Amino acid sequence: MKILVIPDTHARPFWRVPVQENISKVDKVIFLGDEPDPYMDEGVKYKWEDVEQNLNDIISLKKEYPDKVELLLGNHSEHYRNLQFRKVATSVRFDAAHANYLYDIYNGDNYGLFKIAHTEKIGDVTFLFTHAGVSNFWANLVGLKIDDTIADQLNEMENSDDGISKLAIIGRARTWFGAKTGSPLWCDIKEMVNDKGIGNGIFQIFGHSRLKEGAIIEMENYACVDSRTAFIVSSDRRNKKGFSIKKTL
């Protein structure tokens, strides 16, 4: 089993070459969300056309490979997709000028293309992929069961006002008045390090936090990958965990 992981794109084109080179070699390609709202402090001046093209190309890839490509939602996806989430937890860099266009893109015919979480097994390990990670604190707070249905539970939250309210919980690392840790759309790696994650036989992979470029913070129960580089997760008998996570070249 081999999985290509694409963290937060934010209009960045870094995902194109790894996808082109690996789409026929991997079993899954998983995008961790946050397609719009580019960073303006990375030395690149993005135009709206860049944001629009990047998002539409990712959606086109999903439609071309519906069973191989998984599109997850991040906080910068959800605040366009869901008006209730936007009112409670709008992110910085929210693009009000194009919000209606992005709302239409994330909804309508494309609605079913996106989800909150996805699981895969590599050997005996169950991997949970989300945008920002599921903390033990947040899981207990919202009554999440840590079992084989965890992705289904998380995805179902998008279908109710109560679920959206839970997904909109922001942690203290992102706001002074936040909870101990945020939701899987908001949890910061600083919060997760102290929380240690959910465990229970589930290994998490998430992005959301910019690290040193290309870096991986790998702990016992999770790995946070930098949001500017693509990564390969694959079985690895030489590793005592039975798998490895490496950035693509």
Side-chain angles (χ1 to χ4, degrees):
M1 185 70 168
K2 184 177 290 187
I3 300 169
L4 177 63
V5 179
I6 310 292
D8 321 23
T9 53
H10 289 295
R12 305 179 186 107
F14 72 84
W15 61 274
R16 296 181 183 277
V17 171
V19 167
Q20 182 180 11
E21 292 181 347
N22 292 284
I23 191 71
S24 63
K25 303 175 185 177
V26 298
D27 300 284
K28 283 284 184 181
V29 178
I30 301 178
F31 285 79
L32 300 183
D34 278 10
E35 298 82 14
D37 303 342
Y39 286 98
M40 297 304 181
D41 62 352
E42 293 182 345
V44 179
K45 293 183 178 180
Y46 293 96
K47 299 178 181 178
W48 160 246
E49 290 76 13
D50 300 323
V51 179
E52 180 182 26
Q53 187 69 57
N54 203 59
L55 174 56
N56 282 316
D57 286 351
I58 289 170
I59 290 172
S60 295
L61 183 72
K62 168 65 176 176
K63 291 179 177 178
E64 184 178 357
Y65 299 94
D67 298 323
K68 178 171 281 191
V69 175
E70 302 291 343
L71 304 183
L72 304 188
L73 293 159
N75 53 306
H76 285 269
S77 319
E78 193 67 27
H79 70 185
Y80 296 112
R81 179 175 165 99
N82 189 283
L83 299 180
Q84 180 188 344
F85 185 91
R86 181 191 305 181
K87 291 178 181 179
V88 177
T90 299
S91 309
V92 297
R93 307 193 313 281
F94 178 79
D95 187 351
H98 299 102
N100 290 338
Y101 174 86
L102 289 166
Y103 176 87
D104 290 340
I105 288 291
Y106 281 109
N107 291 282
D109 293 340
N110 294 324
Y111 187 85
L113 301 181
F114 295 87
K115 57 186 181 180
I116 299 294
H118 181 77
T119 55
E120 288 287 343
K121 291 205 73 170
I122 296 181
D124 297 326
V125 181
T126 297
F127 288 83
L128 174 65
F129 297 87
T130 61
H131 175 64
V134 178
S135 70
N136 189 54
F137 171 85
W138 183 85
N140 289 331
L141 181 67
V142 304
L144 188 70
K145 296 179 182 178
I146 313 303
D147 58 23
D148 292 341
T149 69
I150 188 168
D152 293 334
Q153 294 175 66
L154 291 168
N155 291 329
E156 184 61 28
M157 285 184 180
E158 256 216 311
N159 298 324
S160 70
D161 291 345
D162 179 63
I164 291 296
S165 295
K166 292 173 179 176
L167 291 172
I169 293 174
I170 306 177
R172 294 171 189 166
R174 301 277 171 151
T175 178
W176 288 106
F177 303 103
K180 183 178 179 181
T181 66
S183 79
L185 298 182
W186 274 109
C187 191
D188 190 276
I189 184 59
K190 295 175 184 176
E191 300 163 354
M192 188 67 85
V193 166
N194 293 325
D195 184 272
K196 298 183 180 180
I198 53 176
N200 202 28
I202 295 175
F203 191 91
Q204 297 190 67
I205 295 181
F206 51 87
H208 182 57
S209 301
R210 283 191 294 177
L211 309 176
K212 180 180 178 181
E213 191 163 358
I216 306 169
I217 296 178
E218 186 172 348
M219 307 296 280
E220 181 180 358
N221 298 316
Y222 65 82
C224 177
V225 294
D226 177 58
S227 61
R228 291 164 289 182
T229 307
F231 296 83
I232 293 284
V233 183
S234 60
S235 57
D236 186 350
R237 294 180 179 178
R238 295 169 297 180
N239 190 309
K240 64 179 181 180
K241 289 185 177 181
F243 64 88
S244 61
I245 307 169
K246 299 178 181 178
K247 69 176 182 177
T248 58
L249 299 177

